[in-house]
Structures are given as structure tokens and as C-alpha cells.
Amino acid sequence: MQNKVESMLKPKFAQIKQHIIGKIKSTEWAEHSRIPSENELAEQFAVSRMTARRAVTELSEAGVLTRNQGIGTFVASFKSQSSLLEIRNIADEVKERGGMYSCNPVLLESINAIAPIAIALGVEVDSIVYHSVLVHLENENPLQVEERFVNPKFAPAYLQQNFELITPHEYLCQVAPLTEARHTVEAVSPNAEMCNWLALYNEEPCLQVIRRTWSANDIVSFTRLVSPGSKYRLGGHLTFKHKK
């Protein structure tokens, strides 16, 4: 009864989103199947088409739905999708898809930076840096391994954080707001340790993102993100303005 009351108190567009996600989760609407049009959703929920469009647009931006101009809107591939053009918090990505996010911290430690790490962070070789390895999960299934090296100068309390409650991305944005990021993307073959973290019983290609982030003119972190190719993808949308 309480859940029903809470649902009724939600804005109409949020109710429509919840309805769509529920249909997908129950498998009533399968991957790549066409969903009702905005007009049909507006009529079903007794709202304006603009309200229905907001719900569909937000789910499309979250990678839950895909739009095909002139044809309709469809349930997206069940691969999780992240934007290559912006840095987003993985917990937010999972929640926007209607999933349950959780995290398994594997390692939190201080280390002496070897040459490649020192160069990536812009610090002296053998200086102390923070090192973390986390496994991000969606609906209790491993989705991504995050290995991160952090310059303690910008996040002195990094190792004291509870990363089951806050992601490294969220924490670092609080203490050292990001101003720049550079990344490279490639396909890699996971080693035995990575297969164990990602629960890969049959070795498969993985998507690896190497990313460095800056706050002002200083490098804050150097990160390696690895996800199974069958579960994750990167996407983006660009709009170009042409001079008349």
C-alpha cells in the first residue's frame, strides 16, 4: 500500500519512466522491442505529450531506450552504456537505468609510485600515492573494475572513504572539482585476476578506458576502467553548428 501511495505522489513523467522500466525488467518488453508512442503513453497516463516525451527522452539519454527517427522508440541493447564525451558517475548511470548499484572495494593502499604511475600523475618517482581497486556492480553482477591512482595532495583522506557509500568519482569531485580529462579506449584480453573480479568464466574481450583527470592545472588521478565487452559500451552524441 505504501509503495502504491509513494508511486502516486511521484511526478507523472517519473511514473511513466517507472512503468517503462518495470515492463523491461519483467521481460514483457524484450530487448529491441518497440514501445508505445509518446501519444499512446500520454493517453494511457492522462498527461500531455510533452510530459510523455520528457520520460522517453530521459530514458533514451540514460541508454535504456533508443530512438529511430520516423520509426519509433525501442528497448535498447541490454549492454550498459556510458558516454565517451563526459565523465559520469557510474552509480548514477546504473540507477538511471533502473538498476541496483553496489560496490565491492578490493584494495585501498598507499604505494611508492613506480615510473609509469609517477609520470601519469606528474609526481616524483617513489613518492607516496594512493591506490584503489573497486568492482562496480549492477544488480549484484560485476560491471566494471576501477583501478585508480590518486595524488594525495588533492585528496588526503581518500583511503579513509567508504566507497560502498560514495564512489571515488563523487568524492574527488567534492574535494578537487574536475576541470579536464583525457582518455584512451581500447579492447584488451583480461588476465586471470581481472576475470576473477569480473566473474568471467569464459575469457572474452574487455573494454578498457585509461583516464587522467585534472583540477585546475594539476593532475588528480590516473584511472583504468575495465568492463566485459558483452556488458558495456561507450556512446556519445555531438551536435555541430554550421556558420551561415
Side-chain angles (χ1 to χ4, degrees):
M1 181 67 180
Q2 183 179 357
N3 289 340
K4 187 174 181 181
V5 172
E6 289 176 352
S7 178
M8 292 175 65
L9 293 175
K10 286 185 177 181
K12 284 289 187 178
F13 79 90
Q15 292 181 36
I16 297 173
K17 288 173 63 175
Q18 188 177 47
H19 167 76
I20 293 172
I21 290 172
K23 292 288 188 182
I24 296 172
K25 278 188 170 182
S26 69
T27 69
E28 185 174 341
W29 291 356
E31 184 177 5
H32 304 309
S33 63
R34 184 174 178 175
I35 73 165
S37 67
E38 291 174 1
N39 284 336
E40 290 171 327
L41 289 170
E43 183 177 349
Q44 179 180 347
F45 286 85
V47 296
S48 67
R49 183 178 178 183
M50 184 177 296
T51 298
R53 178 174 295 174
R54 177 177 177 181
V56 172
T57 297
E58 290 190 4
L59 289 179
S60 298
E61 291 175 347
V64 175
L65 303 174
T66 58
R67 283 173 159 170
N68 195 323
Q69 189 69 31
I71 298 178
T73 303
F74 301 82
V75 177
S77 165
F78 290 153
K79 286 186 181 182
S80 303
Q81 175 166 316
S82 178
S83 174
L84 183 61
L85 305 178
E86 60 180 331
I87 296 180
R88 301 196 62 207
N89 181 31
I90 191 168
D92 293 337
E93 291 180 26
V94 171
K95 291 172 185 175
E96 286 176 11
R97 293 192 290 270
M100 181 182 71
Y101 169 80
S102 58
C103 175
N104 177 26
V106 175
L107 184 66
L108 290 169
E109 62 179 356
S110 295
I111 63 170
N112 295 98
I114 60 174
I117 302 304
I119 292 170
L121 286 176
V123 298
E124 295 294 327
V125 173
D126 285 332
S127 60
I128 295 294
V129 300
Y130 296 151
H131 177 219
S132 62
V133 177
L134 312 175
V135 179
H136 300 290
L137 301 95
E138 181 170 2
N139 300 326
E140 300 184 352
N141 295 312
L143 177 64
Q144 183 181 85
V145 171
E146 172 188 318
E147 181 177 26
R148 186 183 293 265
F149 300 89
V150 177
N151 187 336
K153 171 184 174 182
F154 301 101
Y158 182 80
L159 296 181
Q160 283 71 57
Q161 303 309 303
N162 183 348
F163 290 123
E164 293 183 39
L165 301 179
I166 185 171
T167 65
H169 173 76
E170 289 177 294
Y171 172 67
L172 291 174
C173 282
Q174 292 174 9
V175 299
L178 307 183
T179 57
E180 183 182 352
R182 299 175 189 171
H183 46 219
T184 59
V185 183
E186 63 180 333
V188 297
S189 295
N191 59 24
E193 185 175 51
M194 189 64 68
C195 286
N196 181 53
W197 288 336
L198 290 172
L200 298 178
Y201 302 107
N202 296 312
E203 186 176 314
E204 64 172 273
C206 287
L207 184 69
Q208 175 176 276
V209 178
I210 301 294
R211 176 178 291 150
R212 287 199 296 167
T213 54
W214 279 256
S215 183
N217 295 319
D218 294 303
I219 302 168
V220 175
S221 70
F222 171 62
T223 310
R224 180 171 69 122
L225 307 170
V226 180
S227 306
S230 61
K231 294 182 181 179
Y232 209 69
R233 62 183 177 179
L234 289 169
H237 177 80
L238 290 173
T239 300
F240 297 96
K241 293 183 179 180
H242 297 282
K243 294 182 179 180
K244 295 182 178 179

